[in-house]
């Protein structure tokens, strides 16, 4: 902290100081962090040197640790969300900035006010753009889907995700990482959050290759219960939109996959799968 206070004009010292802070935060009492304005100083450091990618990585890592420590409201208050989103936009070519940015926004998104702030600062678009810039990087995609799934619990964020082509992005991630069961499971869960409006009981129509991606997940992991369960949950949700039923009909492979899920996992899939089949065949 002394280095940040006395050598702010030196980007090298500032970077090293933020890196050191990031490592010390977890073991430091909240009162000490607040009393020394650590959140504000990290944000100020990031805003002073927006073009220095390594410094941005250190600052975002520090903000993530501060958020986990319990200083989420402090970060929001000093416009830390804007700092993270700006770094993601400026350094879209950096996988590390994108990954650390996503986990930080995911952590901050536990606050309702942060959910709105992330949307208002362009965070949803930044997350999706970063995901598509590094679509082959599995660890980033895991964080992207996780933060989108969390943000989609907010009604306004559902619409923002859809308008930013978030559904198409998640489907793309599913195709690219067809051999990753964790991504398939999380992606189905995220899509469920995005397309269902629990207030109006409305479900979005399928806009692209969602069905192909879901069936691909079920086909790739027939014996992974959580993949089958989340796929059945998502498909059941989709059946509450009449136009989606038309897309599901006359699909023999889908019927076979649903029957296999019901047979392999009766406790978690049978009831859902049977309901979907009944809707398709009605």
């Amino acid at each position: 902290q002394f280095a940040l206070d006395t050598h702010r004009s030196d980007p090298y010292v500032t970077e090293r100081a933020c890196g050191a802070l990031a490592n010390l935060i977890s073991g430091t009492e909240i009162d000490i962090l607040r009393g020394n304005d650590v959140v504000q100083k990290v944000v100020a450091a990031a805003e002073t040197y927006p073009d220095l990618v390594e410094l941005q990585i250190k600052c975002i890592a520090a903000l993530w640790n501060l958020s986990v420590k319990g200083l989420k409201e402090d970060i929001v208050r000093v416009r830390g969300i804007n700092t993270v989103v700006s770094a993601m936009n400026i350094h879209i070519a950096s996988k590390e900035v994108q990954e650390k940015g996503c986990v930080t926004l995911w952590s901050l998104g536990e606050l309702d006010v942060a959910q709105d702030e992330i949307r208002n600062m362009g965070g949803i678009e930044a997350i999706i753009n970063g995901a598509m810039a590094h679509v082959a990087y599995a660890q980033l995609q895991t964080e992207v889907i996780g933060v989108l799934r969390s943000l989609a619990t907010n009604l306004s964020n559902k619409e923002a995700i859809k308008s930013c082509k978030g559904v198409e992005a998640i489907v793309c991630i599913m195709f690219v990482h067809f051999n990753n069961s964790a991504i398939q499971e999380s992606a189905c869960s995220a899509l469920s959050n995005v397309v269902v409006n629990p207030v109006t009981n409305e479900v979005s129509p399928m806009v692209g290759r969602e069905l192909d991606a879901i069936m691909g997940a079920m086909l790739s992991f027939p014996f992974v219960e959580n993949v089958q369960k989340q796929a059945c949950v998502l498909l059941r949700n989709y059946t509450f939109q009449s136009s989606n039923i038309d897309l599901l009909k006359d699909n023999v492979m889908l019927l076979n996959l649903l029957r296999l899920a019901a047979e392999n996992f009766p406790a978690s899939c049978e009831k859902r799968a049977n309901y979907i089949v009944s809707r398709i065949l009605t």
Side-chain angles (χ1 to χ4, degrees):
Q1 181 187 322
F2 176 77
L4 279 178
D5 289 338
T6 58
H7 298 280
R8 186 172 297 178
S9 61
D10 187 329
Y12 175 76
V13 172
T14 300
E15 177 191 328
R16 296 295 294 270
C18 288
L21 277 174
N23 292 329
L24 292 170
I25 286 164
S26 63
T28 304
E29 295 294 330
I30 286 181
D31 289 344
I32 294 174
L33 295 170
R34 278 206 177 104
N36 288 280
D37 297 322
V38 171
V39 172
Q40 189 166 355
K41 288 174 182 177
V42 170
V43 169
E47 291 180 345
T48 301
Y49 301 102
D51 297 326
L52 301 183
V53 63
E54 290 301 323
L55 186 145
Q56 295 298 316
I57 289 169
K58 302 292 194 304
C59 288
I60 297 173
L63 289 174
W64 177 28
N65 289 338
L66 288 163
S67 176
V68 172
K69 188 72 177 180
L71 292 165
K72 293 176 174 61
E73 293 179 353
D74 304 63
I75 294 169
V76 174
R77 185 167 54 252
V78 299
R79 291 176 55 82
I81 287 173
N82 183 64
T83 299
V84 174
V85 172
S86 294
M88 293 174 72
N89 286 329
I90 293 169
H91 300 287
I92 193 169
S94 168
K95 291 187 290 187
E96 195 167 358
V97 167
Q98 300 305 315
E99 182 181 347
K100 283 182 165 46
C102 283
V103 296
T104 303
L105 294 178
W106 190 354
S107 176
L108 291 170
E110 293 178 8
L111 289 179
D112 289 342
V113 65
Q115 290 244 349
D116 293 329
E117 188 78 0
I118 290 168
R119 179 184 69 255
N120 294 334
M121 291 293 106
I124 290 172
E125 187 174 6
I127 291 164
I128 293 168
N129 288 342
M132 293 299 94
H134 305 281
V135 71
Y137 182 34
Q139 185 57 46
L140 172 59
Q141 303 311 321
T142 299
E143 312 299 353
V144 165
I145 292 173
V147 67
L148 290 177
R149 180 180 60 194
S150 175
L151 290 172
T153 58
N154 176 294
L155 292 178
S156 296
N157 286 344
K158 293 177 191 287
E159 297 307 314
I161 292 169
K162 287 185 282 188
S163 68
C164 291
K165 303 291 185 182
V167 170
E168 293 88 337
I170 293 171
V171 168
C172 176
I173 293 166
M174 292 176 73
F175 282 128
V176 173
H177 298 279
F178 65 92
N179 59 345
N180 187 315
S181 63
I183 285 179
Q184 299 301 317
E185 174 195 342
S186 186
C188 287
S189 178
L191 285 173
S192 283
N193 281 3
V194 173
V195 303
V196 176
N197 185 322
V199 175
T200 63
N201 289 324
E202 294 177 332
V203 177
S204 302
M206 293 183 181
V207 295
R209 299 185 63 192
E210 293 98 322
L211 181 57
D212 290 337
I214 298 164
M215 290 173 56
M218 298 179 76
L219 190 62
S220 294
F221 301 100
F223 302 111
V224 178
E225 182 172 6
N226 285 338
V227 172
Q228 299 298 316
K229 175 184 175 181
Q230 293 302 329
C232 287
V233 169
L234 177 55
L235 287 168
R236 185 179 184 276
N237 287 334
Y238 271 129
T239 64
F240 292 104
Q241 163 61 249
S242 59
S243 64
N244 293 334
I245 295 290
D246 295 333
L247 295 174
L248 301 179
K249 283 184 176 179
D250 302 320
N251 192 318
V252 176
M253 179 178 289
L254 176 60
L255 291 172
N256 288 336
L257 288 170
L258 289 166
R259 287 166 178 154
L260 183 62
E263 179 181 328
N264 287 339
F265 307 106
S268 58
C269 296
E270 184 175 22
K271 187 175 180 179
R272 294 184 177 100
N274 289 342
Y275 177 85
I276 298 162
V277 171
S278 69
R279 293 280 287 160
I280 293 173
L281 299 180
T282 299

